[in-house]
Amino acid sequence: MFCVKSSPVLKRTGPERIPFKWLLSSRRLRSTSAGAHRTSVDFEETREVYKSKDSLELLRSLVVFKLCSFDILIMDLGKTILGQRAFSQFMKMTFYGQFVAGEDHEAIRPLIQKNRAFGVGSVLDYSVEEDISQEDSEHEEFLTCSDRMEEKYGAHKQFEDCAGGVTGARTYFDADEAKCDQHMETFIKCIKASGGSSMDGFSAIKMTALGRPQFLLKFSEILVKWQRFFTFLASQQGKDGLEALEQRLELRQLQDFLTKLGARGDFHGWFASRNQETSGCIDMLDWRSLIDGRTKTSDLLVVPNVKQGELEPLLLRFTEEEEKQLARVLQRMDILAKHALENGVRLMVDAEQTYFQPAISRLTLEMQRIYNRETPVIFNTYQCYLKEAYDNVTVDVEQSRREGWHFAAKLVRGAYMYQERERAAERGYEDPINPDYESTNRMYHRCLDHVLDEIALNRKANVMVASHNEDTVKHTLQRMNELGLSPTDNKVFFGQLLGMCDQISFPLGQAGFPVYKYVPYGPVDEVMPYLSRRAQENRGFMKGAQKERELLWKELKRRLASGELLHRPVY
């Protein structure tokens, strides 16, 4: 049966990009009356690129980039060779000074003010990480975890990369609710330090700091199984291989098939209040809402284990304790969102490991429903190295349109591709990562183009292009010019890490684009796990950062030849 489902806000030709000729015609009036804003940015004029830096800062960048390119990690050996005191001083002069703004929210103010004077804002991140042992993390994590988790994520008792195997994302493993409250208070301080006017600043938060990871694991397992079940049902109706939003289930066939599978419960009633009378179909968003709307704690749905060829129960409701954990996480998020509104700050919810991410994204979306009604307060992060990234973006964009709130996203490629791939091979589950960097680039641009098209048509979408890739930044500028999107619209933001890719950040800021540095801060010794991870994550990037090193040398030579070696930034 052919099913048609209409969108109440805006019509698209499926989740793919809107044809440019449609966009052009829809925007011709605004471009003609206001004038098309076309801006070109020069990323190689070193005098302008580095005018916010003195020569010692340029020299430090060259040294740190060189150290990061070595296969032997200097920080792993430094403390043993130099001793604690000398090592701390060495860190302040090199890695810490390059990638961290200062020890507390007072110490970082000069750097924030200087960057702002040169057109670059800040995403503040209190980067103290707990360096716990793998043994402790496994014990703490699995006191309340089920023995068998979804095969896709391999979250079982050999969950080695809680602390050791995966170093690509910092994760808090605190079972103590009081510790989660402490983390919330830390985030509140960060929000206040980010405070400005008219939603000027960003503050980064980690969901695993606000709730117990074992709860996030279980929630993620349920969400993944529920989504996989939808995909399985779509395949039974001959709709496998379609994009997520194109997979629509014919309800009568669905109900008959569920009965044949042996499903228990009043599943006919689940769909009675849906769109059966008008379209006879449900799509991924209708299906997603079912799991949010369960009311009976005893309800079980028997779903097929596609891999094993057998039926198994899927619990649709949490225990009383898990319900309390969910409420506490949402309550902490609610408190942070209110502080963000009071201080004119947007919250950036960071992405974490793939086995936590489904729960993190769903909880973030729940807060976006509440706080993104009038303005984009909460941004979710999408990792484009994941094979399912495009489906995640398109489904969430569509949900924001149907429900009338501002979609807000940070797009990243992903910081720990190799560790995730190795883990999938070791555990024997399907690799969730795109096969290579080129395919990740294509995925990134595909997701980006979809959001940019949505911004042009709906004006309620927002995106931060968090990328160190100059080609991606240029692609974004070209698409903005094509779509008539102005930097002053404050719909498209750019982001880079502190200490990296200044040749991208500062020219964008000086050209009037909203661009932000991701600014970590915290005490030297306590930020060490962050610095170690940052060096590991970016070692491959640093090896390839030849252009940035060339620009740094070019500017140092220019200053030496022109007598400007003692240049001091004026602001």
Side-chain angles (χ1 to χ4, degrees):
M1 177 178 177
F2 179 72
C3 303
V4 177
K5 191 172 184 66
S6 62
S7 299
V9 181
L10 179 66
K11 298 186 188 304
R12 279 184 178 269
T13 55
E16 293 289 346
R17 285 175 54 189
I18 303 300
F20 176 61
K21 62 181 180 180
W22 293 9
L23 295 171
L24 183 61
S25 62
S26 70
R27 300 191 59 79
R28 184 174 289 122
L29 267 179
R30 193 172 77 90
S31 295
T32 302
S33 60
H37 186 105
R38 301 187 64 85
T39 303
S40 60
V41 181
D42 188 348
F43 297 114
E44 300 191 22
E45 177 49 58
T46 61
R47 182 169 187 169
E48 293 300 312
V49 166
Y50 297 117
K51 68 181 182 180
S52 66
K53 309 289 183 183
D54 63 39
S55 298
L56 284 177
E57 289 178 290
L58 301 184
L59 186 59
R60 182 187 64 196
S61 296
L62 281 167
V63 171
V64 171
F65 290 168
K66 185 63 177 178
L67 291 175
C68 285
S69 69
F70 293 144
D71 290 327
I72 298 176
L73 191 59
I74 303 297
M75 285 185 289
D76 290 342
L77 302 175
K79 188 179 293 186
T80 302
I81 297 173
L82 298 176
Q84 181 62 50
R85 185 172 181 179
F87 178 69
S88 295
Q89 187 61 36
F90 169 76
M91 291 301 296
K92 285 185 177 181
M93 295 172 59
T94 55
F95 294 95
Y96 184 92
Q98 183 73 14
F99 298 121
V100 183
E103 297 206 11
D104 54 44
H105 64 276
E106 293 295 334
I108 67 177
R109 288 188 184 278
L111 182 140
I112 293 174
Q113 292 170 356
K114 182 177 79 167
N115 283 353
R116 184 177 296 166
F118 289 95
V120 177
S122 299
V123 180
L124 293 193
D125 176 31
Y126 189 70
S127 296
V128 172
E129 302 183 8
E130 296 194 19
D131 194 9
I132 62 177
S133 70
Q134 175 182 322
E135 192 174 286
D136 289 343
S137 70
E138 286 182 0
H139 172 72
E140 184 147 327
E141 197 61 24
F142 287 95
L143 284 176
T144 57
C145 256
S146 60
D147 287 347
R148 180 181 175 278
M149 301 296 282
E150 174 59 42
E151 287 87 349
K152 179 178 180 181
Y153 297 103
H156 44 69
K157 287 189 177 181
Q158 285 73 41
F159 180 36
E160 295 178 347
D161 49 6
C162 284
V166 168
T167 58
R170 63 186 166 92
T171 305
Y172 297 83
F173 290 92
D174 299 313
D176 187 358
E177 290 292 329
K179 199 63 178 279
C180 294
D181 288 334
Q182 291 176 17
H183 292 147
M184 181 188 69
E185 293 298 327
T186 298
F187 289 145
I188 290 173
K189 292 178 182 178
C190 191
I191 289 169
K192 291 180 177 179
S194 305
S197 58
S198 303
M199 285 294 174
D200 177 64
F202 283 90
S203 184
I205 61 175
K206 286 278 187 182
M207 194 69 76
T208 51
L210 301 175
R212 301 181 184 182
Q214 61 265 32
F215 166 73
L216 296 176
L217 278 169
K218 182 173 183 178
F219 192 13
S220 291
E221 177 196 13
I222 293 173
L223 294 172
V224 168
K225 284 187 176 181
W226 189 241
Q227 182 171 325
R228 282 191 164 192
F229 189 33
F230 179 90
T231 303
F232 171 77
L233 294 172
S235 70
Q236 299 304 304
Q237 296 190 14
K239 297 171 183 176
D240 51 329
L242 298 177
E243 302 291 351
L245 285 176
E246 294 176 345
Q247 291 181 328
R248 297 184 176 93
L249 303 182
E250 202 281 321
L251 284 179
R252 192 169 299 278
Q253 290 184 35
L254 170 62
Q255 292 171 345
D256 291 343
F257 187 70
L258 286 173
T259 302
K260 291 179 182 178
L261 283 177
R264 300 191 301 272
D266 183 23
F267 54 87
H268 287 274
W270 298 352
F271 307 108
S273 61
R274 302 289 158 186
N275 298 317
Q276 184 174 5
E277 295 182 0
T278 56
S279 70
C281 298
I282 64 170
D283 63 12
M284 176 66 79
L285 287 176
D286 297 321
W287 183 259
R288 174 191 279 185
S289 67
L290 292 177
I291 200 170
D292 296 332
R294 305 305 300 129
T295 57
K296 298 178 181 179
T297 57
S298 61
D299 278 341
L300 290 175
L301 174 65
V302 176
V303 301
N305 184 328
V306 181
K307 201 170 186 179
Q308 301 296 329
E310 59 188 23
L311 298 178
E312 61 180 20
L314 172 62
L315 181 65
L316 293 184
R317 293 291 289 180
F318 298 122
T319 65
E320 183 178 352
E321 174 57 30
E322 288 165 344
E323 290 283 2
K324 290 179 180 178
Q325 289 185 42
L326 173 61
R328 284 191 287 261
V329 173
L330 291 175
Q331 182 183 40
R332 293 180 185 113
M333 281 290 294
D334 186 71
I335 291 171
L336 293 176
K338 285 183 169 67
H339 277 281
L341 278 173
E342 291 172 4
N343 289 273
V345 174
R346 289 156 290 201
L347 295 183
M348 188 75 73
V349 181
D350 283 343
E352 304 191 49
Q353 288 103 324
T354 53
Y355 33 84
F356 294 135
Q357 195 56 44
I360 292 170
S361 292
R362 181 59 61 86
L363 292 169
T364 302
L365 186 144
E366 289 302 313
M367 299 309 296
Q368 288 179 314
R369 280 172 163 168
I370 299 171
Y371 285 98
N372 284 13
R373 290 287 172 181
E374 302 298 327
T375 187
V377 177
I378 298 175
F379 280 61
N380 197 7
T381 300
Y382 296 85
Q383 303 171 99
C384 294
Y385 72 171
L386 295 176
K387 294 175 181 176
E388 60 188 21
Y390 184 71
D391 283 345
N392 293 339
V393 169
T394 56
V395 170
D396 288 354
V397 166
E398 178 64 16
Q399 183 159 353
S400 72
R401 292 172 59 228
R402 293 185 190 181
E403 297 176 354
W405 45 271
H406 289 257
F407 177 82
K410 178 177 73 170
L411 296 182
V412 301
R413 279 174 170 78
Y416 44 108
M417 180 184 302
Y418 301 109
Q419 292 92 339
E420 290 279 9
R421 181 166 290 122
E422 289 172 2
R423 186 173 188 273
E426 290 174 0
R427 299 287 182 267
Y429 61 88
E430 181 184 351
D431 185 358
I433 309 300
N434 288 315
D436 50 45
Y437 187 76
E438 288 71 25
S439 59
T440 295
N441 282 343
R442 290 192 294 271
M443 178 67 78
Y444 192 103
H445 285 196
R446 192 181 184 203
C447 294
L448 174 59
D449 285 336
H450 185 83
V451 180
L452 290 175
D453 288 345
E454 182 68 15
I455 293 171
L457 289 173
N458 193 26
R459 311 300 295 173
K460 273 196 163 186
N462 309 263
V463 65
M464 175 172 280
V465 184
S467 176
H468 298 136
N469 188 306
E470 189 175 314
D471 290 337
T472 293
V473 173
K474 289 179 177 178
H475 173 83
T476 306
L477 298 180
Q478 178 182 346
R479 291 284 292 140
M480 290 179 69
N481 282 334
E482 291 174 354
L483 298 172
L485 299 177
S486 168
T488 57
D489 292 336
N490 281 325
K491 294 292 184 182
V492 182
F493 308 90
F494 296 87
Q496 290 82 40
L497 292 169
L498 180 70
M500 296 174 62
C501 291
D502 288 343
Q503 80 277 12
I504 291 178
S505 306
F506 287 91
L508 284 172
Q510 291 158 22
F513 288 88
V515 59
Y516 293 81
K517 284 292 192 183
Y518 203 94
V519 178
Y521 69 98
V524 178
D525 295 336
E526 297 181 47
V527 176
M528 278 302 300
Y530 168 84
L531 288 172
S532 178
R533 179 172 58 84
R534 180 61 62 207
Q536 289 179 347
E537 288 171 5
N538 294 297
R539 193 180 304 167
F541 172 82
M542 293 302 184
K543 285 182 178 179
Q546 185 62 35
K547 180 176 179 179
E548 186 165 1
R549 290 197 294 267
E550 289 175 355
L551 291 175
L552 287 164
W553 275 120
K554 179 181 177 181
E555 176 59 11
L556 279 172
K557 292 175 181 177
R558 187 199 67 78
R559 290 183 183 183
L560 180 62
S562 62
E564 299 177 44
L565 198 58
L566 299 180
H567 167 78
R568 291 289 183 270
V570 178
Y571 58 97

